[in-house]
Amino acid sequence: MNGPRGVDRMLVSLLDLGGQATLERLPSLVGQHLPAAGIRACLIYLADLQQTRMRLLPDLDAPVPEGNDKPPEELRIDSTYGGRAFQEARILRHRDENGRGCWWVPLRNGAERLGVLHVLADRPDDVDEQLVRALAAMVALFVASKRAFSDAYPRLVRSRPMNVAAEMLWHLMPPLTFANAEVTVAGVLEPAYEIGGDAFDYALADDIVHLAIFDAMGHDLAAGLAANLALATSRSLRRRGADLAANSEGIESLLLKELGESCRFVTAVMADFDLRTGVLTWVNRGHPPPILIRGGRWIAALDCPPAPPLGLGLDQPVTVCREQLEPGDRLLLYTDGIIEAGSHQGKEFGVARFVDFILRHCAARLPVPETLRRLIKDVLDHHDGRLHDDATVLLTEWHGRTGTCEVKSGLS
């Protein structure tokens, strides 16, 4: 039953039946069709919310393995084969202690990293990389399509309870990573389980990339509500054709109307980036200015006369600013929590260290989302593992035709 026809039969059967399977039944469904392709076992590991470890999605219909056959229920991303495949977004192949072929294959929804697939074969020469790549792509598609209505998914990828503000914001924000031939956009947000008032957003429409970052005053449910309203209003007005200035003014009007005297002010940077011309257009509502990195060095903060934060009702004019970007440029939007994070010795992380970190890891040719994962880990280590304010980064890299920092958006 092995060979090309067996492989085709496996993939077609999975595609036919996978649409009706729940996330919990996905391992069992995949396992039933593996023998036709010469695969002995296939384990699905999904990354936790903070991307420090991956957890096994259990097969509810399989007998409980014992002894050496029992797979680990958790893999550390920084210290395992599977974690390395996740970090580098590439397939790793080796033989286990019994001489069986093993593949660690990244599970990705587009550029978003979901976890890894661990594929084992008794006769590794009968299984090629194209097969495991196709199988991983199909499994990733199923995971991405089912997680939105699955409580099993958040239970698996969360390490502790999540507060209500974080629950709202995580369901509203876009995936952490997007990439195509022209641009990569990646975001990260901590503390993942106790978000207060930070949020980011991005979207594409034709050749325009819309970018936004918000920081509501406070670190409680009221701040979370303000950030949610700002983000949702921004999307609503943008999709109705409002320009940046009108969009920010509309957010302020709604915040004042809905929250009244209890309104929490919100700082923001909202931007449009034209992929055809390289022109960045943005407005600043009392927020730290964007940082532009070019040619492997820190160029400058992109200063723009800031209007007052959203929700203060000061009725001041909003200035729209423009900057010409070049292929290979990297744009950083961030909240003050990323640079104000302090150690037990009282030293802030700081803008210079923040930018230097991005530069060094880009020079190491790491994928953009992996750079941000390591950045947050470094920030948390600097702050003894726990932040007292939200720390958010949205990194945009324009590839153009001669990008200076290789973007590993595909498997290599």
Side-chain angles (χ1 to χ4, degrees), residues 12 14-15 19 50 82 94 111 130 148 156 191 251 274 291 305 324 326 344 370 388 410:
V12 170
L14 284 175
L15 190 61
Q50 294 173 301
H94 67 100
Q130 184 176 1
L156 183 67
I251 295 171
D274 193 324
I291 293 175
Q324 179 66 55
E326 299 177 2
H344 65 281
E370 178 60 19
H388 298 292

Side-chain angles (χ1 to χ4, degrees), residues 17-30 44 57-58 60-61 142-143 145-147 149-153:
L17 300 174
Q20 300 178 12
T22 63
L23 184 72
E24 297 92 323
R25 296 297 173 186
L26 184 58
S28 176
L29 174 65
V30 172
I44 302 171
L57 182 62
L60 301 180
D61 297 326
F142 290 146
V143 171
S145 66
K146 299 174 188 306
R147 60 180 170 173
F149 55 85
S150 170
D151 273 352
Y153 182 82

Side-chain angles (χ1 to χ4, degrees), residues 2-146:
N2 297 351
R5 290 186 179 180
V7 171
D8 292 344
R9 185 160 52 251
M10 177 192 73
L11 295 176
V12 170
S13 296
L14 284 175
L15 190 61
D16 286 343
L17 300 174
Q20 300 178 12
T22 63
L23 184 72
E24 297 92 323
R25 296 297 173 186
L26 184 58
S28 176
L29 174 65
V30 172
Q32 292 170 17
H33 294 83
L34 295 179
I39 297 175
R40 184 174 66 88
C42 179
L43 305 174
I44 302 171
Y45 285 92
L46 300 178
D48 78 326
L49 189 62
Q50 294 173 301
Q51 297 186 344
T52 60
R53 66 201 71 196
M54 294 179 288
R55 297 195 176 99
L56 178 66
L57 182 62
D59 186 343
L60 301 180
D61 297 326
V64 179
E66 298 179 355
N68 293 334
D69 290 331
K70 185 176 181 180
E73 296 182 356
E74 186 171 286
L75 301 172
R76 298 289 300 184
I77 288 178
D78 287 324
S79 59
T80 61
Y81 253 109
R84 181 180 167 194
F86 179 88
Q87 291 179 55
E88 300 176 5
R90 67 186 182 97
I91 295 174
L92 296 180
R93 180 179 178 180
H94 67 100
R95 292 180 182 267
D96 65 13
E97 62 276 8
N98 298 314
R100 297 173 298 194
C102 299
W103 287 263
W104 292 99
V105 193
L107 290 174
R108 305 189 325 144
N109 177 34
E112 182 191 11
R113 303 182 298 179
L114 302 175
V116 295
L117 200 66
H118 190 199
V119 179
L120 300 96
D122 291 321
R123 300 178 59 185
D125 293 339
D126 292 344
V127 180
D128 61 22
E129 186 173 306
Q130 184 176 1
L131 166 60
V132 296
R133 189 188 298 266
L135 179 60
M138 188 167 292
V139 171
L141 178 65
F142 290 146
V143 171
S145 66
K146 299 174 188 306

